[in-house]
Amino acid sequence: MKLDHSKNIIEVENVSFSYGQTVVLEDISLVVHPGDYLALIGPNGAGKTTLLKLMLGLLVPTRGKIKLFGRDISGSKRLNQISYVPQQGDGSDINFPISVYEVVATGRYSRVGIGRSLKPSDEELIKKALEQTGMWNQKDKLIGELSGGQKQRVYIARALSSEPEIIFLDEPTRGLDREAEADLYKLMRQLNREKGLTLVLVSHDVEKVTVEAMHIACLDRNLVCHNSPAEFLADSNLVDMFGEKTRVITHHHHK
Amino acid sequence: MGLEFLQYSFMLRGFAAGLIVAVIAPLIGVFLVLKRYSLIADTLSHVSLAGISIGLLFGLNPGLTSLGLTVATALGLEKMRRGKIYSEAALAIFLSGSLALAVVIFSLARGFNINLLNYLFGSVLTVSARDIYLIASLAIIIFAGILFFFKELVAVTFDEEAAQVSGLPVRSINTIFIIMAALAVSISIPVVGVLLIAALVVIPAVTALRFKKNLVKTIVYAEVISILAVISGIILSYYLNLAAGGTIVLLMLAVFIIVSLYKREKKYVYVRSDQK
């Protein structure tokens, strides 16, 4: 499917979400355009990951609706247009007996079909994704042998191998050192600017995403802002609310 | 030590049943361990015992009632897991609840004229020809199923959410897998018994994981450990007059301990290669 720039990729319309009695998100509306690079920021517990999972169809809104390419996400077949790089850090992959190549291959499986094996064209795409992320020379290593930054590259490669139009990333730079973090932002910038991939990123790192992303959405149960980084930075109230809070958390994470 | 004991047809049957279970259990076991479901094997085996007792009580084929109840429970547990109400506690409740039910039914009907111990600890020597047919056909189904869904099982076991987003039918794959796990547990009962099945499912898998190879190699290692332990366990138990199930499990444990000592985790400092 070719990109149709007249359509919005994601439309979130008056979405609320509660876990039992706890309201996590309230009346959120926002739109993601093709080629966008949107960063969701906000303090811990602001509902960033929840909004991401709602957009991915992993959670169902309590109220409101979410459209993917103009169609309601709950009923639509996904057609592999979206990919997901989940939050890392629980370490469950450390002892998993799977090679880097095999991890990236799992991104192709839904396209290949059950009971069938990878075709040469699939293998080409896996190779391309590994090369794009600079991980081709590590393809035979087990995933548990890699550093945090390398793992993230592998998970981005897995996302790329399904040829998506949009990739959702949940705190991809969490726990990385400065250099690995800078490398990862550079990779995401390339994917967005050069390959035209739409990116939606959850982040704590306000300083970084105001430089990298095209749009910033500030969440604190409600959608407090949704504008360009320049507009965000010009609003001292917003910077006070989101910049400071998140900066403290960021430092905490890196210690 | 010769193989002359195989001239007895009951030994031959026991040997055949043992080998089939030796192949199937680790195949399921590697995925169960990686999914952090190890305890499910233990729970399902006790449910299976309750199924057997119900079959005996109502004069039905105990093999079939056990199969039915185990599969139904497995589906229930999978549903609970999906609904996020699944927990270790739920497994413990199912485990002890079904054991209690089985014990009460067994005590109710003292006229069963069967030995509870055979079910608890297995008895390769009393495997009937009909048992073999049932075990073999179910084993073929499990084996073919794992092979057919192999790559989907890998993707779902590795990262369920990413698999779901990518469009894989995660729910169906999990359901099919849990049914196969239930079948594997049911067919293992005559060989190792209710109390030792979990060992057969889990120990070769955990041992093979210590070698830190990719998934296919890990499964092959687990198969080799399992098959060797079952063969030598049955032979040893025959000549030394020991309980076969227990001997098999002890041999597996010995291999696990040796491999663990040999492959001890090095206490290393984590130097990131992108930090050089």
Side-chain angles (χ1 to χ4, degrees):
Chain A
M1 194 173 140
K2 283 273 155 269
L3 269 186
D4 180 354
H5 286 271
S6 64
K7 273 189 180 161
N8 296 318
I9 289 195
I10 304 264
E11 292 163 74
V12 179
E13 295 173 4
N14 308 105
V15 162
S16 300
F17 185 83
S18 314
Y19 283 110
Q21 298 296 312
T22 318
V23 180
V24 183
L25 290 171
E26 214 171 347
D27 201 25
I28 308 283
S29 295
L30 65 86
V31 167
V32 180
H33 300 287
D36 205 347
Y37 185 164
L38 172 69
L40 300 172
I41 62 168
N44 282 336
K48 304 183 296 293
T49 297
T50 303
L51 180 58
L52 201 72
K53 289 192 172 181
L54 285 164
M55 292 196 273
L56 287 162
L58 290 171
L59 294 172
V60 180
T62 320
R63 265 206 314 276
K65 67 176 151 193
I66 296 175
K67 286 182 183 168
L68 182 65
F69 297 96
R71 291 166 62 186
D72 201 321
I73 196 169
S74 54
S76 72
K77 274 237 164 199
R78 270 171 243 284
L79 300 169
N80 317 87
Q81 294 149 316
I82 58 176
S83 273
Y84 178 35
V85 179
Q87 195 178 117
Q88 301 303 313
D90 68 344
S92 62
D93 53 5
I94 285 186
N95 291 315
F96 206 100
I98 191 167
S99 74
V100 166
Y101 188 91
E102 290 165 330
V103 170
V104 179
T106 61
R108 292 296 309 159
Y109 289 170
S110 64
R111 291 243 171 146
V112 174
I114 289 172
R116 295 172 192 207
S117 43
L118 295 170
K119 292 192 287 288
S121 58
D122 297 306
E123 283 160 6
E124 252 330 288
L125 284 164
I126 295 165
K127 184 176 180 206
K128 198 175 131 198
L130 280 164
E131 283 172 345
Q132 256 181 311
T133 50
M135 293 305 293
W136 176 248
N137 56 354
Q138 311 277 347
K139 68 179 164 47
D140 296 322
K141 280 202 175 156
L142 290 184
I143 189 78
E145 294 172 334
L146 302 184
S147 70
Q150 291 174 319
K151 271 191 208 168
Q152 283 300 2
R153 287 173 169 273
V154 173
Y155 294 130
I156 291 174
R158 175 180 64 181
L160 289 172
S161 76
S162 69
E163 302 178 283
E165 286 170 28
I166 178 165
I167 301 185
F168 294 86
L169 305 103
D170 195 352
E171 301 208 34
T173 59
R174 186 179 159 189
L176 300 189
D177 60 84
R178 292 229 162 249
E179 203 183 327
E181 181 189 281
D183 284 348
L184 206 66
Y185 275 116
K186 190 175 155 202
L187 173 65
M188 293 191 284
R189 203 181 317 138
Q190 280 170 349
L191 293 173
N192 176 252
R193 310 291 204 269
E194 291 165 25
K195 311 281 172 199
L197 258 173
T198 311
L199 300 179
V200 175
L201 168 82
V202 162
S203 181
H204 268 124
D205 195 348
V206 177
E207 260 174 288
K208 262 294 191 195
V209 296
T210 44
V211 180
E212 297 287 337
M214 288 180 194
H215 291 101
I216 306 283
C218 331
L219 277 179
D220 197 357
R221 206 170 79 173
N222 299 291
L223 186 66
V224 182
C225 77
H226 180 201
N227 41 26
S228 70
E231 288 168 312
F232 171 82
L233 291 171
D235 190 330
S236 56
N237 283 338
L238 284 179
V239 175
D240 280 351
M241 251 181 95
F242 289 92
E244 280 307 314
K245 261 189 205 170
T246 44
R247 207 166 295 149
V248 172
I249 291 160
T250 310
H251 282 291
H252 178 74
H253 267 291
H254 280 271
K255 262 179 189 170
Chain B
M1 232 181 259
L3 291 175
E4 63 269 19
F5 66 92
L6 287 177
Q7 64 190 290
Y8 302 112
S9 62
F10 67 90
M11 274 311 290
L12 203 58
R13 284 199 297 270
F15 216 71
L19 275 181
I20 295 170
V21 170
V23 171
I24 294 303
L27 200 58
I28 296 288
V30 169
F31 286 104
L32 279 181
V33 169
L34 289 173
K35 277 173 168 281
R36 300 178 183 188
Y37 273 17
S38 304
L39 249 177
I40 259 193
D42 215 4
T43 302
L44 290 179
S45 70
H46 286 76
V47 172
S48 189
L49 185 70
I52 289 168
S53 66
I54 290 169
L56 293 170
L57 183 66
F58 293 105
L60 305 164
N61 180 334
L64 292 179
T65 49
S66 133
L67 212 62
L69 192 64
T70 315
V71 170
T73 308
L75 291 174
L77 287 171
E78 176 58 23
K79 195 159 187 219
M80 284 166 75
R81 191 186 69 93
R82 235 179 4 241
K84 317 265 183 219
I85 46 172
Y86 170 95
S87 65
E88 300 282 282
L91 287 182
I93 291 170
F94 268 96
L95 187 151
S96 43
S98 39
L99 183 60
L101 180 66
V103 169
V104 167
I105 293 178
F106 272 103
S107 68
L108 258 180
R110 284 183 196 85
F112 275 175
N113 199 21
I114 51 117
N115 191 350
L116 179 59
L117 288 182
N118 280 357
Y119 287 109
L120 287 181
F121 299 107
S123 158
V124 277
L125 304 186
T126 56
V127 176
S128 70
R130 231 178 62 186
D131 288 339
I132 291 284
Y133 292 133
L134 184 67
I135 292 174
S137 29
L138 288 176
I140 290 168
I141 293 173
I142 297 166
F143 197 84
I146 295 279
L147 224 56
F148 190 73
F149 291 105
F150 189 77
K151 62 181 201 317
E152 286 74 22
L153 271 173
V154 173
V156 171
T157 306
F158 182 65
D159 189 338
E160 197 166 308
E161 285 192 332
Q164 192 176 338
V165 171
S166 82
L168 285 176
V170 170
R171 191 190 267 212
S172 312
I173 288 161
N174 277 332
T175 305
I176 290 165
F177 176 71
I178 205 77
I179 291 173
M180 291 194 287
L183 294 180
V185 165
S186 284
I187 66 171
S188 306
I189 287 194
V191 181
V192 277
V194 167
L195 295 180
L196 297 175
I197 284 172
L200 209 64
V201 170
V202 173
I203 298 174
V206 174
T207 311
L209 282 167
R210 292 259 161 176
F211 288 94
K212 298 208 179 291
K213 300 288 177 191
N214 71 9
L215 195 54
V216 174
K217 283 188 187 154
T218 302
I219 292 173
V220 171
Y221 282 36
E223 291 288 353
V224 171
I225 294 164
S226 167
I227 291 169
L228 288 181
V230 168
I231 292 176
S232 39
I234 293 178
I235 295 175
L236 263 182
S237 65
Y238 175 79
Y239 285 105
L240 302 178
N241 201 19
L242 305 168
T247 312
I248 291 169
V249 172
L250 285 179
L251 283 173
M252 284 178 175
L253 264 181
V255 176
F256 171 70
I257 291 167
I258 292 166
V259 171
S260 298
L261 288 175
Y262 181 67
K263 291 267 170 195
R264 220 171 353 192
E265 300 266 330
K266 286 176 218 116
K267 282 193 180 138
Y268 56 90
V269 184
Y270 203 149
V271 181
R272 291 180 175 141
S273 50
D274 59 4
Q275 213 174 29
K276 277 176 205 159

